[in-house]
Amino acid sequence: MFIRFITTGGTIDKIYFDDLSQFEVGESQVQHILAEGLVDFDFEVVPLMHKDSLEVTDDDRRKLCEFIEQDDARRYVITHGTDTMPETAEALRGLSDRTIVLTGALTPARFRTTDAIFNVGMAVAVAQVAEPGVYIAMSGQVFEAGKVRKNRAENRFEKIV
Amino acid sequence: MFIRFITTGGTIDKIYFDDLSQFEVGESQVQHILAEGLVDFDFEVVPLMHKDSLEVTDDDRRKLCEFIEQDDARRYVITHGTDTMPETAEALRGLSDRTIVLTGALTPARFRTTDAIFNVGMAVAVAQVAEPGVYIAMSGQVFEAGKVRKNRAENRFEKIV
Amino acid sequence: MFIRFITTGGTIDKIYFDDLSQFEVGESQVQHILAEGLVDFDFEVVPLMHKDSLEVTDDDRRKLCEFIEQDDARRYVITHGTDTMPETAEALRGLSDRTIVLTGALTPARFRTTDAIFNVGMAVAVAQVAEPGVYIAMSGQVFEAGKVRKNRAENRFEKIV
Amino acid sequence: MFIRFITTGGTIDKIYFDDLSQFEVGESQVQHILAEGLVDFDFEVVPLMHKDSLEVTDDDRRKLCEFIEQDDARRYVITHGTDTMPETAEALRGLSDRTIVLTGALTPARFRTTDAIFNVGMAVAVAQVAEPGVYIAMSGQVFEAGKVRKNRAENRFEKIV
């Protein structure tokens, strides 16, 4: 079993710079999370972007699509900022024969209390178990691309009904 | 979406008592893990046993089976000690029309570095996505009951080939 | 033994809001840190300000001085942003018969890896053991007010020689 | 400023072995704690024993005494199991011209919630600030050797009055 992880930035990878008193996207936390999960399968992590979700452009989404199209893996976990995660999921729907799961975090992985570890755990399971397709794993749930939105007021992901 | 969590003890719930200088099974950590995962679905946690995996008897397994048989949920996550998790998974195989996922941890959930959060994240995803059946989510992988063993020397779960 | 804790904001109390993707000063973390330290002495926490260190004005320092002057405790721990902690320490030097210790953190207390707990531990010890005076406890060291600066390039506190 | 750290075992360094379902004294956690505290002073860590507190003998205490007597540092932090920490502190009282602080933890340092970091922070401060003598830093307090006991029923250290 092989999973390709693609990191694009977002809250999950945020770090804090004391001298600036602000947060910026730092190096990917996925490896640390997988090590903590004591995972025992083959994987590679490709850091494709370091962007806040709101900065991700349609051009970025095209590049992500092309990267996966030309790649030979069957299972993908993509870490992504939460605000435009549903849009990026939609943009990947054309890709066939692959199980692609987007996830991220509402609180940075470097925090003592964070949803990052739980979410990556979910994504890794979905990448193994689900039918080919594009999914989002957030808020303890697995959503299909195109049927999910972020409810910013409530700070959670929910099904579009 | 509703998941019934059943806790049976094991390393995941171990606590430490200084005066005895030893570890004992403590109150279930599943609620804390779900809170940290910012999950947004309905669930109930049923603490059925507080046992080390090696102390779980065939009688305990029968009770677990009966509990699920008489219960009306379709999705279950069972936290369990690791040493006999494969045996308990086997014992549940007769139950139909339900997705049942066993998980646990090689390091207690109260530790700073633990596989517990990742594993419960996996289990929650499998309970939603997988076909009815009995599964084990450990070592970053999803195994079918009857096709998995714990490799104690390597401290991981692996497929029986 | 009684210690009065005064919180003024700073990195130690920073939280992260996903919807804004920025950090803000949140509720004081001192109580949580003392609970984790299993402390067994009497204390009270007074949240006096919620400011980044660079926003603390001379007027704020006067108010802090006046608060302590009119208060009857002998031991104080003040949590404060790091950038102007030495200035605030200087401003408190006139207060006699009290042991006053300023501390804070270079990484927020809510982070998984943070100097906040260690620093508050140091400050609590200094408040008990040191002669009356004003001190800064940072970078694993105890400095006297007026003889310490923050080296921003190196992100540490050091003695002025 | 130089501090010699001596580690002797105890709860602070406990690890958990899943295959045995039990706790044992592991490698010293002091370096990790100092790194997390972002300390900036010179130190060395000497791992002298790996013992539970109740296993420490009078002979062990003599060796500890001799080690310090023949050593040239002026400041010591000794990590030690909690049950006999007061006895070991007493045994070191003859050593002059040194500030010696014993500390440890009621919960292992590897736990997510632990008093270990706070306690080592206190001990590091006392080693710098206190008069020569032997001290215990536990339960948020600094005690003089000979005037402190562990209250096991309450799981805390307290002054002997």
Side-chain angles (χ1 to χ4, degrees):
Chain A
M1 209 266 293
F2 175 85
I3 298 180
R4 177 93 67 211
F5 292 83
I6 302 173
T7 69
T8 69
T11 293
I12 191 171
D13 288 338
K14 286 284 176 76
I15 53 177
Y16 178 70
F17 293 105
D18 180 62
D19 52 336
L20 303 170
S21 283
Q22 72 182 46
F23 239 155
E24 297 198 356
V25 174
E27 55 140 3
S28 165
Q29 292 297 293
V30 157
Q31 277 106 326
H32 301 297
I33 293 171
L34 296 173
E36 180 151 357
L38 302 178
V39 310
D40 185 43
F41 56 76
D42 295 323
F43 65 88
E44 261 179 33
V45 180
V46 179
L48 210 66
M49 291 181 270
H50 290 84
K51 288 200 172 186
D52 253 334
S53 181
L54 296 169
E55 299 163 9
V56 174
T57 64
D58 285 346
D59 198 46
D60 290 327
R61 293 188 177 97
R62 258 191 303 278
K63 278 179 198 157
L64 177 58
C65 244
E66 284 167 22
F67 177 87
I68 295 174
E69 224 160 25
Q70 293 160 17
D71 188 54
D72 59 354
R74 294 297 98 181
R75 304 167 199 279
Y76 291 86
V77 170
I78 302 172
T79 60
H80 195 285
T82 56
D83 283 320
T84 66
M85 195 188 289
E87 286 88 322
T88 300
E90 283 248 38
L92 298 175
R93 284 174 76 186
L95 296 162
S96 54
D97 292 330
R98 292 162 178 91
T99 303
I100 300 171
V101 193
L102 290 92
T103 195
L106 297 169
T107 307
R110 283 174 184 81
F111 269 52
R112 195 172 191 176
T113 299
T114 171
D115 53 330
I117 301 168
F118 190 96
N119 291 346
V120 174
M122 282 204 299
V124 162
V126 176
Q128 289 172 65
V129 169
E131 300 285 294
V134 183
Y135 305 88
I136 282 181
M138 289 293 296
S139 299
Q141 290 166 81
V142 183
F143 305 97
E144 285 179 56
K147 299 182 180 166
V148 54
R149 69 172 160 233
K150 182 180 174 185
N151 180 332
R152 282 187 210 179
E154 301 286 341
N155 208 27
R156 69 175 183 226
F157 280 69
E158 59 191 23
K159 209 170 171 175
I160 298 175
V161 283
Chain B
M1 209 268 293
F2 175 84
I3 298 180
R4 178 95 66 211
F5 291 82
I6 302 173
T7 68
T8 68
T11 293
I12 190 169
D13 287 339
K14 287 282 177 77
I15 52 176
Y16 178 70
F17 294 108
D18 181 59
D19 52 336
L20 302 170
S21 282
Q22 70 183 46
F23 242 153
E24 297 197 355
V25 173
E27 54 141 4
S28 165
Q29 292 297 293
V30 156
Q31 277 105 324
H32 301 296
I33 293 171
L34 296 173
E36 179 151 357
L38 302 177
V39 309
D40 184 44
F41 56 79
D42 296 323
F43 65 89
E44 261 179 33
V45 180
V46 179
L48 210 65
M49 291 179 269
H50 290 84
K51 288 202 172 187
D52 253 333
S53 181
L54 295 169
E55 300 163 9
V56 175
T57 63
D58 284 347
D59 197 47
D60 291 326
R61 292 191 177 94
R62 257 191 305 276
K63 278 180 199 157
L64 177 59
C65 242
E66 283 167 22
F67 176 87
I68 295 175
E69 225 160 23
Q70 293 161 15
D71 188 55
D72 59 353
R74 295 296 98 182
R75 305 167 199 280
Y76 292 86
V77 170
I78 303 171
T79 59
H80 195 285
T82 57
D83 282 321
T84 66
M85 195 188 288
E87 284 88 324
T88 301
E90 283 250 35
L92 300 174
R93 283 174 78 185
L95 297 161
S96 54
D97 291 330
R98 293 161 176 93
T99 303
I100 300 170
V101 194
L102 290 92
T103 194
L106 297 169
T107 308
R110 284 176 183 80
F111 269 52
R112 196 172 191 176
T113 299
T114 171
D115 53 329
I117 302 167
F118 191 96
N119 291 347
V120 174
M122 282 204 299
V124 162
V126 175
Q128 290 172 64
V129 169
E131 299 285 295
V134 183
Y135 304 88
I136 282 182
M138 288 293 295
S139 299
Q141 290 166 79
V142 183
F143 304 96
E144 285 178 56
K147 299 183 179 165
V148 54
R149 71 171 158 233
K150 182 178 175 189
N151 180 331
R152 282 186 209 179
E154 301 285 342
N155 208 26
R156 69 175 183 227
F157 280 69
E158 58 191 22
K159 211 172 171 170
I160 298 176
V161 284
Chain C
M1 209 267 293
F2 176 83
I3 298 180
R4 178 94 66 212
F5 292 83
I6 302 173
T7 68
T8 69
T11 294
I12 191 170
D13 287 339
K14 286 283 176 76
I15 52 176
Y16 178 70
F17 293 109
D18 180 60
D19 52 336
L20 303 170
S21 283
Q22 71 184 44
F23 243 152
E24 296 197 357
V25 173
E27 53 141 4
S28 166
Q29 292 297 293
V30 157
Q31 277 106 324
H32 301 296
I33 293 171
L34 295 173
E36 180 152 356
L38 301 177
V39 310
D40 184 43
F41 57 78
D42 295 324
F43 64 87
E44 262 179 33
V45 180
V46 180
L48 210 65
M49 291 180 269
H50 290 85
K51 287 200 172 188
D52 253 334
S53 180
L54 295 169
E55 299 163 10
V56 175
T57 64
D58 285 347
D59 198 46
D60 291 325
R61 293 190 177 94
R62 258 191 303 276
K63 278 178 200 158
L64 176 58
C65 242
E66 284 168 21
F67 176 87
I68 295 175
E69 225 162 23
Q70 293 161 15
D71 187 54
D72 59 353
R74 295 296 98 181
R75 306 168 199 279
Y76 292 86
V77 170
I78 303 171
T79 59
H80 195 285
T82 57
D83 282 322
T84 66
M85 194 189 288
E87 285 87 323
T88 300
E90 283 250 35
L92 298 175
R93 284 174 76 186
L95 296 162
S96 54
D97 291 329
R98 290 161 178 94
T99 303
I100 300 170
V101 193
L102 290 91
T103 194
L106 296 169
T107 307
R110 283 175 184 82
F111 269 52
R112 195 172 190 177
T113 299
T114 172
D115 53 330
I117 301 166
F118 190 96
N119 291 346
V120 173
M122 283 205 298
V124 161
V126 175
Q128 289 172 65
V129 169
E131 300 284 295
V134 183
Y135 304 89
I136 282 181
M138 289 292 295
S139 298
Q141 290 166 81
V142 184
F143 305 96
E144 287 178 54
K147 298 181 181 168
V148 54
R149 72 173 158 231
K150 181 179 175 187
N151 180 331
R152 281 186 210 180
E154 302 287 341
N155 208 28
R156 69 175 182 226
F157 281 69
E158 58 191 22
K159 210 172 171 171
I160 298 175
V161 283
Chain D
M1 209 266 292
F2 175 84
I3 298 180
R4 178 94 66 210
F5 292 82
I6 301 174
T7 69
T8 69
T11 293
I12 190 170
D13 288 339
K14 286 282 177 77
I15 53 177
Y16 177 71
F17 294 105
D18 180 61
D19 52 335
L20 303 170
S21 282
Q22 71 183 45
F23 241 155
E24 297 197 355
V25 174
E27 55 141 4
S28 165
Q29 292 298 295
V30 157
Q31 276 106 325
H32 301 296
I33 293 172
L34 296 173
E36 180 150 356
L38 301 178
V39 310
D40 185 43
F41 57 77
D42 295 323
F43 65 89
E44 261 179 34
V45 180
V46 179
L48 210 64
M49 290 180 271
H50 289 85
K51 287 200 173 188
D52 253 333
S53 181
L54 295 170
E55 300 163 11
V56 175
T57 63
D58 286 347
D59 197 47
D60 291 326
R61 294 191 176 94
R62 259 191 302 278
K63 278 180 198 155
L64 177 58
C65 242
E66 283 167 23
F67 177 88
I68 295 175
E69 224 161 24
Q70 293 161 16
D71 188 55
D72 59 353
R74 295 296 98 181
R75 305 168 200 279
Y76 292 85
V77 170
I78 302 172
T79 59
H80 195 285
T82 56
D83 283 320
T84 65
M85 196 188 288
E87 285 87 322
T88 301
E90 283 249 38
L92 299 175
R93 284 174 77 186
L95 296 162
S96 56
D97 292 331
R98 293 163 177 90
T99 303
I100 299 170
V101 193
L102 289 91
T103 194
L106 296 169
T107 307
R110 282 175 185 82
F111 269 51
R112 195 172 191 175
T113 298
T114 172
D115 53 330
I117 302 168
F118 190 95
N119 291 347
V120 173
M122 282 205 298
V124 161
V126 175
Q128 290 172 64
V129 169
E131 299 284 297
V134 183
Y135 305 89
I136 281 181
M138 288 294 294
S139 298
Q141 291 167 80
V142 184
F143 304 97
E144 285 178 57
K147 300 182 181 166
V148 56
R149 70 172 159 233
K150 182 179 174 187
N151 181 332
R152 281 186 210 179
E154 301 286 341
N155 209 24
R156 67 174 184 228
F157 281 69
E158 59 191 23
K159 212 173 171 171
I160 299 176
V161 283

